[in-house]
Amino acid sequence: MRIIMHLDLDAFFAAVEQRDNLELKGKPVVVGANPKEGKGRGVVSTASYEARVFGVSSGMPISKAWRLCAGRCVFLPVNYEKYSQVSSRIMKILSKYADKLEQTSIDEAYLDVSRVGSFEKARGLAIAIKKEILRKEGLTCSIGIAQNKLVAKIASDYKKPDGLTVVPPGKVWDFLAPLNVRKIPGIGPKTAFALSKIKVRTIAELRRVPKDKLIELFGSFGKEMYEYSRGIDESPVVEEWEHKQVSRQFTFEEDTSDEALIFETMNELVKDVYQQILSEKKAFRTVTIKVRYEDFETHTSSRTLIEPTQSFEAMGNVANELLQPFLKRLKEKKLRLIGFGVSNLSLKGQAQR
Ligand code: TTP
Ligand code: MG
């Protein structure tokens, strides 16, 4: 059984500004382009929940936000550098809790927490995560938990701000039914309008439309709409380090300090990766290993070779060398997971730069 968590920080840019300036706590704050007394161009990045009461929202022209709440809202410029630093610290916190972490935007991530084994335990984990983020970064977030990314994402949005919504498998159907079709990721204003013309407004109503009809109207997305309306989504949580590389990872049945088992497992991962790059006719230059200890402390370590290669020996040798320093710490703590990947890929035979 899969257990997926989706986390989204509340009013992220505005919340960071409120945290860093006590005078802004509880006040309507608009972060975005310079309003220039209503003549400014550009848009609102986000608004604090206090400012949303005036009707201000992300993406709105800043001049309109000025008309809605000048004199009452505090307008602030966007400080991306600060927000991305906060974001990476939070992602680091999250990586301790998940077997797989996929960051999908500056303030959003999916966590695969299937290993906890039950939705109740996952709820406990979510509470711990919320506490840690609040204690260390002074920010609140909303979390959704479900059997897949689709429902987890809809659930995290369900009770914002500072929400926690768990939708176990048996509850998916009823949870989705009354929601507006716009809650389905990918259904924007245009699609919603087209659906309204065939009298579909809620997800329950969407379920009544035959699959063929949806495909006729919306092409391949129609098939996805059919599945999403039923809470079906098999897409995996994909870690960033997997995106540009061919990689495998393995979580030991039990945390281990058995070096022979660790090398043997690494060898299996190397074999799998080798098979895949052979079949895809790819060469690699960089070898990366990943280790995670029992307390979730996680490291990756890489080496880049001078020339692209497809060599199985090179993979294995580098992997074992990179692994050595981590084995020295096995007396302190056991290993929970190891991973192996190759990146810097090129098609074999392709001219190098
Ligand atoms: P969101 O998570 O969409 O919004 P939010 O965190 O401000 O509010 P919510 O509580 O509803 O989650 O986006 C995260 C940040 O990304 C947001 O703080 C600012 C930025 N952003 C933009 O710059 N432009 C946009 O149009 C959107 C939607 C977000
Ligand atoms: Mg957010």
Side-chain angles (χ1 to χ4, degrees):
M1 177 185 57
R2 291 206 301 155
I3 306 178
I4 310 295
M5 206 181 267
H6 180 260
L7 179 146
D8 189 313
L9 293 154
D10 301 322
F12 182 45
F13 295 2
V16 173
E17 298 299 345
Q18 287 179 319
R19 170 193 84 175
D20 291 351
N21 180 352
L22 288 177
E23 282 176 23
L24 299 175
K25 278 247 158 67
K27 299 242 172 74
V29 172
V30 178
V31 180
N34 187 340
K36 295 191 182 154
E37 307 275 313
K39 296 194 186 77
R41 288 163 171 274
V43 296
V44 172
S45 293
T46 196
S48 72
Y49 280 77
E50 298 84 358
R52 292 181 196 192
V53 174
F54 296 101
V56 182
S57 61
S58 295
M60 168 185 284
I62 198 77
S63 54
K64 184 170 179 199
W66 183 265
R67 278 205 301 284
L68 289 170
C69 69
R72 287 173 288 184
C73 291
V74 180
F75 287 80
L76 295 173
V78 182
N79 186 344
Y80 279 111
E81 207 177 300
K82 177 156 84 173
Y83 314 140
S84 28
Q85 282 167 8
V86 176
S87 170
S88 4
R89 288 199 299 268
I90 290 177
M91 294 302 154
K92 208 159 196 180
I93 294 176
L94 298 184
S95 70
K96 290 188 307 180
Y97 289 92
D99 271 326
K100 283 208 173 184
L101 174 71
E102 176 178 357
Q103 181 177 357
T104 45
S105 85
I106 192 161
D107 81 329
E108 241 182 278
Y110 291 97
L111 290 78
D112 189 324
V113 297
S114 307
R115 290 255 309 177
V116 300
S118 79
F119 282 83
E120 270 321 296
K121 290 212 177 105
R123 179 194 291 278
L125 203 64
I127 293 170
I129 291 173
K130 284 164 80 80
K131 271 196 192 140
E132 187 168 345
I133 294 177
L134 187 61
R135 182 166 56 82
K136 292 200 174 141
E137 293 294 335
L139 296 172
T140 62
C141 63
S142 299
I143 295 181
I145 301 173
Q147 63 193 345
N148 60 37
K149 290 166 81 174
L150 169 81
V151 182
K153 178 158 171 89
I154 297 174
S156 75
D157 184 55
Y158 191 64
K159 285 186 201 148
K160 253 185 170 295
D162 203 15
L164 171 55
T165 305
V166 183
V167 187
K171 296 269 163 68
V172 170
W173 195 261
D174 290 345
F175 169 71
L176 294 178
L179 302 180
N180 190 286
V181 290
R182 285 289 304 273
K183 295 289 174 189
I184 294 179
I187 298 193
K190 276 190 199 154
T191 310
F193 181 67
L195 285 169
S196 73
K197 288 206 262 187
I198 54 167
K199 300 215 161 48
V200 169
R201 203 185 52 86
T202 65
I203 295 180
E205 287 161 353
L206 179 56
R207 281 180 202 146
R208 289 188 209 123
V209 186
K211 197 181 198 170
D212 291 348
K213 175 83 182 167
L214 288 174
I215 293 172
E216 180 194 315
L217 287 172
F218 304 103
S220 64
F221 185 56
K223 181 171 167 277
E224 280 167 8
M225 278 162 67
Y226 181 87
E227 287 170 357
Y228 291 172
S229 69
R230 287 159 176 74
I232 299 167
D233 169 32
E234 298 298 334
S235 64
V237 175
V238 182
E239 291 211 346
E240 199 192 344
W241 84 298
E242 293 174 316
H243 273 306
K244 289 192 192 102
Q245 59 180 0
V246 176
S247 67
R248 294 287 185 278
Q249 64 179 29
F250 182 78
T251 306
F252 293 104
E253 294 296 329
E254 273 177 36
D255 300 338
T256 184
S257 52
D258 179 345
E259 288 197 13
L261 175 66
I262 293 167
F263 278 120
E264 202 178 294
T265 307
M266 183 57 90
N267 196 36
E268 289 304 312
L269 299 177
V270 170
K271 264 193 219 158
D272 272 8
V273 168
Y274 177 67
Q275 289 302 338
Q276 186 176 336
I277 68 154
L278 266 197
S279 70
E280 293 176 4
K281 301 196 170 49
K282 281 177 179 152
F284 64 92
R285 272 188 62 202
T286 302
V287 174
T288 303
I289 64 148
K290 170 174 165 181
V291 297
R292 174 170 289 161
Y293 290 101
E294 57 188 338
D295 60 356
F296 274 87
E297 186 186 320
T298 305
H299 299 269
T300 55
S301 170
S302 303
R303 178 168 317 151
T304 298
L305 310 172
I306 296 164
E307 300 252 294
T309 170
Q310 271 192 318
S311 156
F312 177 68
E313 283 72 33
M315 281 187 188
N317 292 341
V318 178
N320 289 346
E321 278 174 43
L322 293 175
L323 200 52
Q324 290 298 341
F326 297 105
L327 301 178
K328 296 205 177 95
R329 293 178 60 194
L330 286 179
K331 278 176 221 106
E332 281 164 61
K333 46 188 172 186
K334 295 179 175 174
L335 269 189
R336 171 183 173 84
L337 169 154
I338 57 172
F340 173 80
V342 293
S343 55
N344 243 325
L345 302 172
S346 51
L347 279 178
K348 193 175 175 257
Q350 200 179 39
Q352 294 300 309
R353 112 195 107 84

